[in-house]
Amino acid sequence: MKASDLLVRCLEAEGVERIFGVPGEENADVMLSLQDSKINFILTRHEQGAAFMAEVHGRLTGEAGVCLGTLGPGATNLITGVADANMDRAPLIALTGQADSRRLHKESHQAMDVVAMFAPVTKWGQGIFHPDNIPEVVRKAFKTATAEKPGACHIELCEDVAAMQTTTHPLQSQRPRRPVPDDKIVDRAFAVIAAAKRPIILAGNGTIRRRASRQLRRFAERTGIGVVSTFMAKGCVDMDAEYCLFTIGLQSKDVVACAVDAADVVITLGYDMVEYHPRLWNPDGDKRIVHIDFLPAEVDENYAVEVEVVGDLAHTLWMLCERVERQPKLIDFDHRTQRAVRREMLTDFATHSNDDTTGSIRPQKAIWDARQVLRPQDIVLSDVGAHKMWIARYFQCHEPNTCLIPNGFCSMGFALPGAISAHLVHPDRRILAICGDGGFMMNVQEMETARRLNADIVVMVWVDGGYGLISWKQDSHFGRHTDLSFGNPDWLGLAAAFGWHGAWVERSTDLQPALELAFATPGPSLLALPIDYTENAKLTARLGEIVCPI
């Protein structure tokens, strides 16, 4: 068969259902092979949007999402989304075309070393220079992308190689069973935990993958130990559970940090330093830390691990639960601080739930209303900007993978294309993207993709006419900010131009009905609202004066 046909058969053998991308001349053979396959090619309006769509597919399914671009500018356009997936631990495969292999040794039109360019933002990458190597390269890429910690891999195929003949066949897709820790090290971890008086769990994004959330809930229910999650671990435990202490990760000290401060043992589960560095919660490096993860702990002066348990996270938690059930009398913890923290945070969340303002809407109210209209399994996607800080603190979840926040690489432009992909994975759920006006306009062209696919998504844009997070941080550090303002489109006109339902909401009491109407309207909807970002400085001042509740 032709090499491009073999590539597509290998992708089918890996279970690929859809590929997002923008093809070029060098992908022509692959595209024609795709047309004859069962894989659905989703044509996007920019390669960056394609990469974000593939990333969200990977985050929601645990299977590698696939995006495609051509050589040169097509490949460089992919790279931001690929980097975002890699640092946010989402399995992704980036497919790029390349020039004829007979001209790569010299100066040549659009040709560059794309594999080398992708190397810093992928786990592994490889160019294919012989068609018989395609099955091995594809199998290794998918195996590497989905192995812990998941990330991005890159495959490059030269246009002349794609047209060659081959007699090889796809390799069988296999998911190896992850190793588990031995009993002795789990015994050591349990002994440290059982001897504590005020232990706390710091849950990272590893807890929302592969059954880990279920086992974490079981462990927390049996011990009562409070669970603090990073931004990307939202939903690892139910927000209504008494042991849920919500989210940590803001640069300023928050109430939740009081529970960590009071802890004599910190149990880190699937914790990832790219989200929240240990110097922010263990500045003196004196906390007793039990590290439980798929991989060994990173070496850091503020992360001196007392016991390191390496292996499948869900199985490790199961092993700990078995020990708790065998020796329940050893579990005697003081939960007063965590109860006080939870009580204070719940009061804070509801402070502006009944706001009646006109002209602008407080962030707290916008988040409250979004939570009210979304069911436990529905999905929120946050873009990057000032709104992300408010979502991180105020939007809480019932289930894992129901609030997707880029928090490793933190790229703007994520939420709109991501919402399209979320709809394709879960067409039965309500999908809400929350964006700033800056981040939304970075991939605004994907409004056409959403309309073409008739995606049932709602995008809420918080309008402040500037790069709000940058001005917030400059104000906090310097007492003033540089000129970060910009103009905006006519939001209703923009929605109409792309065939979206649109609404401008400037009264807070109208927001919840507007959201309900948007979700009831078939196809994509755009809600724009003027946001009251004077609340940013108020939050900074309040967090700077935090007095722990107990």
Side-chain angles (χ1 to χ4, degrees), residues 52-97:
F52 284 135
M53 292 179 198
E55 175 188 352
V56 167
H57 178 94
R59 287 179 71 164
L60 291 178
T61 66
E63 306 296 332
V66 183
C67 55
L68 177 145
T70 188
L71 81 173
T76 59
N77 281 348
L78 279 174
I79 203 164
T80 295
V82 172
D84 200 72
N86 194 56
M87 198 169 279
D88 280 9
R89 317 308 186 193
L92 177 146
I93 304 295
L95 301 173
T96 60

mmCIF file of all heavy atoms in Angstrom, residues 52-97:
data_model
loop_
_atom_site.group_PDB
_atom_site.id
_atom_site.type_symbol
_atom_site.label_atom_id
_atom_site.label_comp_id
_atom_site.label_asym_id
_atom_site.label_seq_id
_atom_site.Cartn_x
_atom_site.Cartn_y
_atom_site.Cartn_z
ATOM 1 N N PHE A 52 -5.176 23.160 20.162
ATOM 2 C CA PHE A 52 -5.968 23.267 21.392
ATOM 3 C C PHE A 52 -7.119 22.263 21.390
ATOM 4 O O PHE A 52 -7.459 21.693 22.427
ATOM 5 C CB PHE A 52 -6.499 24.686 21.560
ATOM 6 C CG PHE A 52 -5.469 25.683 22.014
ATOM 7 C CD1 PHE A 52 -5.380 26.933 21.417
ATOM 8 C CD2 PHE A 52 -4.593 25.397 23.038
ATOM 9 C CE1 PHE A 52 -4.437 27.868 21.828
ATOM 10 C CE2 PHE A 52 -3.645 26.313 23.463
ATOM 11 C CZ PHE A 52 -3.569 27.550 22.858
ATOM 12 N N MET A 53 -7.734 22.050 20.228
ATOM 13 C CA MET A 53 -8.810 21.059 20.147
ATOM 14 C C MET A 53 -8.281 19.664 20.452
ATOM 15 O O MET A 53 -8.918 18.882 21.188
ATOM 16 C CB MET A 53 -9.451 21.100 18.763
ATOM 17 C CG MET A 53 -10.217 22.379 18.468
ATOM 18 S SD MET A 53 -10.921 22.382 16.796
ATOM 19 C CE MET A 53 -11.236 24.146 16.565
ATOM 20 N N ALA A 54 -7.116 19.336 19.908
ATOM 21 C CA ALA A 54 -6.520 18.033 20.180
ATOM 22 C C ALA A 54 -6.159 17.904 21.658
ATOM 23 O O ALA A 54 -6.320 16.839 22.266
ATOM 24 C CB ALA A 54 -5.284 17.837 19.303
ATOM 25 N N GLU A 55 -5.659 18.994 22.244
ATOM 26 C CA GLU A 55 -5.319 18.967 23.671
ATOM 27 C C GLU A 55 -6.535 18.652 24.528
ATOM 28 O O GLU A 55 -6.468 17.809 25.435
ATOM 29 C CB GLU A 55 -4.729 20.308 24.099
ATOM 30 C CG GLU A 55 -4.475 20.390 25.595
ATOM 31 C CD GLU A 55 -4.058 21.771 26.091
ATOM 32 O OE1 GLU A 55 -3.801 22.663 25.265
ATOM 33 O OE2 GLU A 55 -3.990 21.968 27.322
ATOM 34 N N VAL A 56 -7.646 19.319 24.273
ATOM 35 C CA VAL A 56 -8.844 19.092 25.082
ATOM 36 C C VAL A 56 -9.372 17.675 24.879
ATOM 37 O O VAL A 56 -9.830 17.031 25.834
ATOM 38 C CB VAL A 56 -9.913 20.152 24.758
ATOM 39 C CG1 VAL A 56 -11.270 19.764 25.340
ATOM 40 C CG2 VAL A 56 -9.473 21.499 25.313
ATOM 41 N N HIS A 57 -9.293 17.175 23.648
ATOM 42 C CA HIS A 57 -9.675 15.779 23.427
ATOM 43 C C HIS A 57 -8.839 14.867 24.322
ATOM 44 O O HIS A 57 -9.364 13.953 24.974
ATOM 45 C CB HIS A 57 -9.459 15.405 21.958
ATOM 46 C CG HIS A 57 -9.785 13.969 21.657
ATOM 47 N ND1 HIS A 57 -11.022 13.583 21.185
ATOM 48 C CD2 HIS A 57 -9.050 12.820 21.779
ATOM 49 C CE1 HIS A 57 -11.036 12.264 21.023
ATOM 50 N NE2 HIS A 57 -9.848 11.778 21.385
ATOM 51 N N GLY A 58 -7.537 15.125 24.390
ATOM 52 C CA GLY A 58 -6.662 14.309 25.227
ATOM 53 C C GLY A 58 -6.979 14.435 26.698
ATOM 54 O O GLY A 58 -6.975 13.438 27.436
ATOM 55 N N ARG A 59 -7.258 15.651 27.158
ATOM 56 C CA ARG A 59 -7.552 15.855 28.579
ATOM 57 C C ARG A 59 -8.847 15.168 28.985
ATOM 58 O O ARG A 59 -8.948 14.612 30.083
ATOM 59 C CB ARG A 59 -7.621 17.354 28.893
ATOM 60 C CG ARG A 59 -6.258 18.024 28.889
ATOM 61 C CD ARG A 59 -6.303 19.517 29.163
ATOM 62 N NE ARG A 59 -6.637 19.838 30.540
ATOM 63 C CZ ARG A 59 -6.448 21.029 31.098
ATOM 64 N NH1 ARG A 59 -5.914 22.020 30.386
ATOM 65 N NH2 ARG A 59 -6.778 21.255 32.351
ATOM 66 N N LEU A 60 -9.844 15.187 28.115
ATOM 67 C CA LEU A 60 -11.149 14.636 28.468
ATOM 68 C C LEU A 60 -11.229 13.125 28.317
ATOM 69 O O LEU A 60 -11.998 12.473 29.033
ATOM 70 C CB LEU A 60 -12.241 15.296 27.620
ATOM 71 C CG LEU A 60 -12.524 16.775 27.909
ATOM 72 C CD1 LEU A 60 -13.586 17.307 26.957
ATOM 73 C CD2 LEU A 60 -12.964 16.984 29.353
ATOM 74 N N THR A 61 -10.470 12.555 27.388
ATOM 75 C CA THR A 61 -10.600 11.128 27.108
ATOM 76 C C THR A 61 -9.446 10.290 27.660
ATOM 77 O O THR A 61 -9.600 9.087 27.849
ATOM 78 C CB THR A 61 -10.674 10.874 25.591
ATOM 79 O OG1 THR A 61 -9.414 11.237 24.992
ATOM 80 C CG2 THR A 61 -11.795 11.683 24.950
ATOM 81 N N GLY A 62 -8.292 10.908 27.880
ATOM 82 C CA GLY A 62 -7.108 10.148 28.255
ATOM 83 C C GLY A 62 -6.420 9.507 27.073
ATOM 84 O O GLY A 62 -5.336 8.931 27.201
ATOM 85 N N GLU A 63 -7.037 9.607 25.894
ATOM 86 C CA GLU A 63 -6.431 9.114 24.651
ATOM 87 C C GLU A 63 -5.840 10.297 23.888
ATOM 88 O O GLU A 63 -6.336 11.415 23.986
ATOM 89 C CB GLU A 63 -7.475 8.399 23.782
ATOM 90 C CG GLU A 63 -8.217 7.291 24.500
ATOM 91 C CD GLU A 63 -7.299 6.146 24.908
ATOM 92 O OE1 GLU A 63 -6.280 5.935 24.221
ATOM 93 O OE2 GLU A 63 -7.594 5.472 25.913
ATOM 94 N N ALA A 64 -4.795 10.033 23.137
ATOM 95 C CA ALA A 64 -4.104 11.135 22.464
ATOM 96 C C ALA A 64 -4.998 11.815 21.424
ATOM 97 O O ALA A 64 -5.550 11.153 20.543
ATOM 98 C CB ALA A 64 -2.832 10.627 21.799
ATOM 99 N N GLY A 65 -5.136 13.130 21.544
ATOM 100 C CA GLY A 65 -5.761 13.915 20.493
ATOM 101 C C GLY A 65 -4.751 14.129 19.380
ATOM 102 O O GLY A 65 -3.543 14.141 19.618
ATOM 103 N N VAL A 66 -5.240 14.315 18.162
ATOM 104 C CA VAL A 66 -4.340 14.421 17.014
ATOM 105 C C VAL A 66 -4.617 15.713 16.258
ATOM 106 O O VAL A 66 -5.776 16.048 15.956
ATOM 107 C CB VAL A 66 -4.501 13.219 16.058
ATOM 108 C CG1 VAL A 66 -3.488 13.311 14.905
ATOM 109 C CG2 VAL A 66 -4.328 11.906 16.811
ATOM 110 N N CYS A 67 -3.538 16.452 15.959
ATOM 111 C CA CYS A 67 -3.655 17.658 15.147
ATOM 112 C C CYS A 67 -2.663 17.577 13.993
ATOM 113 O O CYS A 67 -1.660 16.854 14.069
ATOM 114 C CB CYS A 67 -3.421 18.922 15.972
ATOM 115 S SG CYS A 67 -1.849 18.966 16.861
ATOM 116 N N LEU A 68 -2.953 18.306 12.933
ATOM 117 C CA LEU A 68 -2.163 18.209 11.708
ATOM 118 C C LEU A 68 -1.885 19.589 11.139
ATOM 119 O O LEU A 68 -2.758 20.461 11.120
ATOM 120 C CB LEU A 68 -2.908 17.339 10.685
ATOM 121 C CG LEU A 68 -2.291 17.160 9.303
ATOM 122 C CD1 LEU A 68 -2.592 15.741 8.773
ATOM 123 C CD2 LEU A 68 -2.791 18.196 8.298
ATOM 124 N N GLY A 69 -0.665 19.778 10.688
ATOM 125 C CA GLY A 69 -0.284 20.995 9.982
ATOM 126 C C GLY A 69 0.721 20.650 8.900
ATOM 127 O O GLY A 69 1.301 19.562 8.895
ATOM 128 N N THR A 70 0.932 21.572 8.017
ATOM 129 C CA THR A 70 1.908 21.343 6.968
ATOM 130 C C THR A 70 3.291 21.752 7.467
ATOM 131 O O THR A 70 3.499 21.966 8.660
ATOM 132 C CB THR A 70 1.499 22.081 5.683
ATOM 133 O OG1 THR A 70 2.377 21.692 4.629
ATOM 134 C CG2 THR A 70 1.548 23.589 5.870
ATOM 135 N N LEU A 71 4.238 21.840 6.567
ATOM 136 C CA LEU A 71 5.589 22.241 6.942
ATOM 137 C C LEU A 71 5.644 23.740 7.217
ATOM 138 O O LEU A 71 4.657 24.449 7.055
ATOM 139 C CB LEU A 71 6.579 21.860 5.831
ATOM 140 C CG LEU A 71 6.719 22.788 4.603
ATOM 141 C CD1 LEU A 71 7.858 22.334 3.722
ATOM 142 C CD2 LEU A 71 5.422 22.915 3.830
ATOM 143 N N GLY A 72 6.811 24.234 7.634
ATOM 144 C CA GLY A 72 7.036 25.672 7.769
ATOM 145 C C GLY A 72 6.033 26.368 8.650
ATOM 146 O O GLY A 72 5.891 26.034 9.832
ATOM 147 N N PRO A 73 5.296 27.345 8.095
ATOM 148 C CA PRO A 73 4.371 28.129 8.923
ATOM 149 C C PRO A 73 3.243 27.303 9.514
ATOM 150 O O PRO A 73 2.737 27.625 10.588
ATOM 151 C CB PRO A 73 3.848 29.194 7.956
ATOM 152 C CG PRO A 73 4.078 28.645 6.592
ATOM 153 C CD PRO A 73 5.333 27.828 6.693
ATOM 154 N N GLY A 74 2.822 26.226 8.844
ATOM 155 C CA GLY A 74 1.796 25.367 9.424
ATOM 156 C C GLY A 74 2.297 24.717 10.704
ATOM 157 O O GLY A 74 1.584 24.645 11.712
ATOM 158 N N ALA A 75 3.542 24.277 10.679
ATOM 159 C CA ALA A 75 4.132 23.654 11.858
ATOM 160 C C ALA A 75 4.355 24.668 12.969
ATOM 161 O O ALA A 75 4.076 24.390 14.145
ATOM 162 C CB ALA A 75 5.452 22.977 11.482
ATOM 163 N N THR A 76 4.860 25.857 12.624
ATOM 164 C CA THR A 76 5.100 26.855 13.669
ATOM 165 C C THR A 76 3.797 27.327 14.289
ATOM 166 O O THR A 76 3.753 27.645 15.480
ATOM 167 C CB THR A 76 5.885 28.062 13.117
ATOM 168 O OG1 THR A 76 5.153 28.673 12.049
ATOM 169 C CG2 THR A 76 7.253 27.663 12.625
ATOM 170 N N ASN A 77 2.712 27.352 13.518
ATOM 171 C CA ASN A 77 1.420 27.735 14.084
ATOM 172 C C ASN A 77 0.901 26.705 15.079
ATOM 173 O O ASN A 77 0.155 27.047 15.998
ATOM 174 C CB ASN A 77 0.385 27.927 12.971
ATOM 175 C CG ASN A 77 0.527 29.253 12.266
ATOM 176 O OD1 ASN A 77 1.244 30.142 12.717
ATOM 177 N ND2 ASN A 77 -0.143 29.401 11.124
ATOM 178 N N LEU A 78 1.278 25.449 14.915
ATOM 179 C CA LEU A 78 0.838 24.402 15.838
ATOM 180 C C LEU A 78 1.517 24.502 17.194
ATOM 181 O O LEU A 78 0.979 24.069 18.203
ATOM 182 C CB LEU A 78 1.159 23.010 15.265
ATOM 183 C CG LEU A 78 0.243 22.383 14.231
ATOM 184 C CD1 LEU A 78 0.871 21.089 13.731
ATOM 185 C CD2 LEU A 78 -1.140 22.098 14.803
ATOM 186 N N ILE A 79 2.708 25.077 17.219
ATOM 187 C CA ILE A 79 3.610 24.814 18.336
ATOM 188 C C ILE A 79 3.096 25.336 19.688
ATOM 189 O O ILE A 79 3.328 24.715 20.728
ATOM 190 C CB ILE A 79 5.023 25.354 18.021
ATOM 191 C CG1 ILE A 79 6.065 24.625 18.874
ATOM 192 C CG2 ILE A 79 5.102 26.858 18.184
ATOM 193 C CD1 ILE A 79 7.482 24.803 18.381
ATOM 194 N N THR A 80 2.370 26.446 19.710
ATOM 195 C CA THR A 80 1.872 26.970 20.992
ATOM 196 C C THR A 80 0.879 25.995 21.625
ATOM 197 O O THR A 80 0.961 25.698 22.828
ATOM 198 C CB THR A 80 1.222 28.349 20.805
ATOM 199 O OG1 THR A 80 2.227 29.278 20.378
ATOM 200 C CG2 THR A 80 0.598 28.841 22.102
ATOM 201 N N GLY A 81 -0.046 25.482 20.837
ATOM 202 C CA GLY A 81 -1.006 24.524 21.375
ATOM 203 C C GLY A 81 -0.360 23.219 21.775
ATOM 204 O O GLY A 81 -0.758 22.590 22.761
ATOM 205 N N VAL A 82 0.646 22.793 21.021
ATOM 206 C CA VAL A 82 1.376 21.571 21.366
ATOM 207 C C VAL A 82 2.106 21.754 22.692
ATOM 208 O O VAL A 82 2.093 20.883 23.562
ATOM 209 C CB VAL A 82 2.355 21.194 20.234
ATOM 210 C CG1 VAL A 82 3.267 20.048 20.658
ATOM 211 C CG2 VAL A 82 1.590 20.818 18.969
ATOM 212 N N ALA A 83 2.749 22.908 22.857
ATOM 213 C CA ALA A 83 3.450 23.195 24.115
ATOM 214 C C ALA A 83 2.480 23.239 25.284
ATOM 215 O O ALA A 83 2.791 22.764 26.386
ATOM 216 C CB ALA A 83 4.199 24.527 24.000
ATOM 217 N N ASP A 84 1.298 23.799 25.056
ATOM 218 C CA ASP A 84 0.293 23.870 26.115
ATOM 219 C C ASP A 84 -0.126 22.470 26.550
ATOM 220 O O ASP A 84 -0.217 22.172 27.746
ATOM 221 C CB ASP A 84 -0.925 24.665 25.624
ATOM 222 C CG ASP A 84 -1.767 25.184 26.772
ATOM 223 O OD1 ASP A 84 -1.321 26.117 27.452
ATOM 224 O OD2 ASP A 84 -2.879 24.657 26.975
ATOM 225 N N ALA A 85 -0.367 21.594 25.586
ATOM 226 C CA ALA A 85 -0.743 20.223 25.913
ATOM 227 C C ALA A 85 0.375 19.510 26.660
ATOM 228 O O ALA A 85 0.129 18.796 27.638
ATOM 229 C CB ALA A 85 -1.085 19.456 24.633
ATOM 230 N N ASN A 86 1.603 19.725 26.226
ATOM 231 C CA ASN A 86 2.721 19.015 26.831
ATOM 232 C C ASN A 86 2.910 19.419 28.292
ATOM 233 O O ASN A 86 3.084 18.569 29.164
ATOM 234 C CB ASN A 86 3.995 19.292 26.042
ATOM 235 C CG ASN A 86 5.117 18.340 26.389
ATOM 236 O OD1 ASN A 86 4.964 17.122 26.296
ATOM 237 N ND2 ASN A 86 6.241 18.873 26.815
ATOM 238 N N MET A 87 2.851 20.706 28.578
ATOM 239 C CA MET A 87 3.089 21.151 29.946
ATOM 240 C C MET A 87 1.858 20.984 30.829
ATOM 241 O O MET A 87 1.967 20.922 32.055
ATOM 242 C CB MET A 87 3.562 22.605 29.948
ATOM 243 C CG MET A 87 4.241 23.008 31.244
ATOM 244 S SD MET A 87 5.088 24.605 31.175
ATOM 245 C CE MET A 87 6.626 24.120 30.391
ATOM 246 N N ASP A 88 0.676 20.881 30.214
ATOM 247 C CA ASP A 88 -0.550 20.628 30.978
ATOM 248 C C ASP A 88 -0.885 19.137 31.042
ATOM 249 O O ASP A 88 -1.965 18.760 31.473
ATOM 250 C CB ASP A 88 -1.720 21.411 30.377
ATOM 251 C CG ASP A 88 -1.707 22.867 30.797
ATOM 252 O OD1 ASP A 88 -0.710 23.300 31.397
ATOM 253 O OD2 ASP A 88 -2.689 23.579 30.513
ATOM 254 N N ARG A 89 0.046 18.294 30.594
ATOM 255 C CA ARG A 89 -0.052 16.837 30.737
ATOM 256 C C ARG A 89 -1.241 16.250 29.995
ATOM 257 O O ARG A 89 -1.961 15.375 30.503
ATOM 258 C CB ARG A 89 -0.114 16.418 32.209
ATOM 259 C CG ARG A 89 0.850 17.132 33.133
ATOM 260 C CD ARG A 89 2.292 17.097 32.676
ATOM 261 N NE ARG A 89 3.182 17.682 33.673
ATOM 262 C CZ ARG A 89 4.445 18.010 33.457
ATOM 263 N NH1 ARG A 89 4.986 17.838 32.271
ATOM 264 N NH2 ARG A 89 5.191 18.515 34.421
ATOM 265 N N ALA A 90 -1.456 16.725 28.762
ATOM 266 C CA ALA A 90 -2.511 16.169 27.911
ATOM 267 C C ALA A 90 -1.865 15.367 26.791
ATOM 268 O O ALA A 90 -0.974 15.870 26.096
ATOM 269 C CB ALA A 90 -3.375 17.289 27.317
ATOM 270 N N PRO A 91 -2.275 14.116 26.567
ATOM 271 C CA PRO A 91 -1.694 13.329 25.475
ATOM 272 C C PRO A 91 -2.105 13.893 24.115
ATOM 273 O O PRO A 91 -3.294 14.134 23.868
ATOM 274 C CB PRO A 91 -2.270 11.928 25.698
ATOM 275 C CG PRO A 91 -3.536 12.147 26.461
ATOM 276 C CD PRO A 91 -3.305 13.363 27.312
ATOM 277 N N LEU A 92 -1.133 14.108 23.255
ATOM 278 C CA LEU A 92 -1.384 14.737 21.953
ATOM 279 C C LEU A 92 -0.348 14.241 20.954
ATOM 280 O O LEU A 92 0.814 14.037 21.293
ATOM 281 C CB LEU A 92 -1.312 16.269 22.081
ATOM 282 C CG LEU A 92 -1.472 17.102 20.810
ATOM 283 C CD1 LEU A 92 -2.187 18.425 21.128
ATOM 284 C CD2 LEU A 92 -0.116 17.420 20.158
ATOM 285 N N ILE A 93 -0.786 14.056 19.709
ATOM 286 C CA ILE A 93 0.098 13.739 18.596
ATOM 287 C C ILE A 93 -0.006 14.860 17.568
ATOM 288 O O ILE A 93 -1.103 15.171 17.096
ATOM 289 C CB ILE A 93 -0.277 12.399 17.925
ATOM 290 C CG1 ILE A 93 -0.300 11.259 18.940
ATOM 291 C CG2 ILE A 93 0.690 12.098 16.769
ATOM 292 C CD1 ILE A 93 1.037 10.918 19.554
ATOM 293 N N ALA A 94 1.120 15.470 17.241
ATOM 294 C CA ALA A 94 1.164 16.490 16.196
ATOM 295 C C ALA A 94 1.754 15.868 14.939
ATOM 296 O O ALA A 94 2.869 15.339 14.963
ATOM 297 C CB ALA A 94 2.007 17.681 16.648
ATOM 298 N N LEU A 95 0.999 15.911 13.851
ATOM 299 C CA LEU A 95 1.462 15.405 12.564
ATOM 300 C C LEU A 95 1.811 16.592 11.678
ATOM 301 O O LEU A 95 0.974 17.480 11.484
ATOM 302 C CB LEU A 95 0.367 14.579 11.875
ATOM 303 C CG LEU A 95 -0.176 13.357 12.622
ATOM 304 C CD1 LEU A 95 -1.358 12.773 11.858
ATOM 305 C CD2 LEU A 95 0.904 12.315 12.801
ATOM 306 N N THR A 96 3.016 16.627 11.154
ATOM 307 C CA THR A 96 3.379 17.704 10.230
ATOM 308 C C THR A 96 3.957 17.128 8.956
ATOM 309 O O THR A 96 4.610 16.083 8.952
ATOM 310 C CB THR A 96 4.418 18.670 10.845
ATOM 311 O OG1 THR A 96 5.608 17.957 11.169
ATOM 312 C CG2 THR A 96 3.863 19.326 12.103
ATOM 313 N N GLY A 97 3.707 17.839 7.872
ATOM 314 C CA GLY A 97 4.319 17.491 6.597
ATOM 315 C C GLY A 97 5.731 18.044 6.537
ATOM 316 O O GLY A 97 6.158 18.819 7.400
#
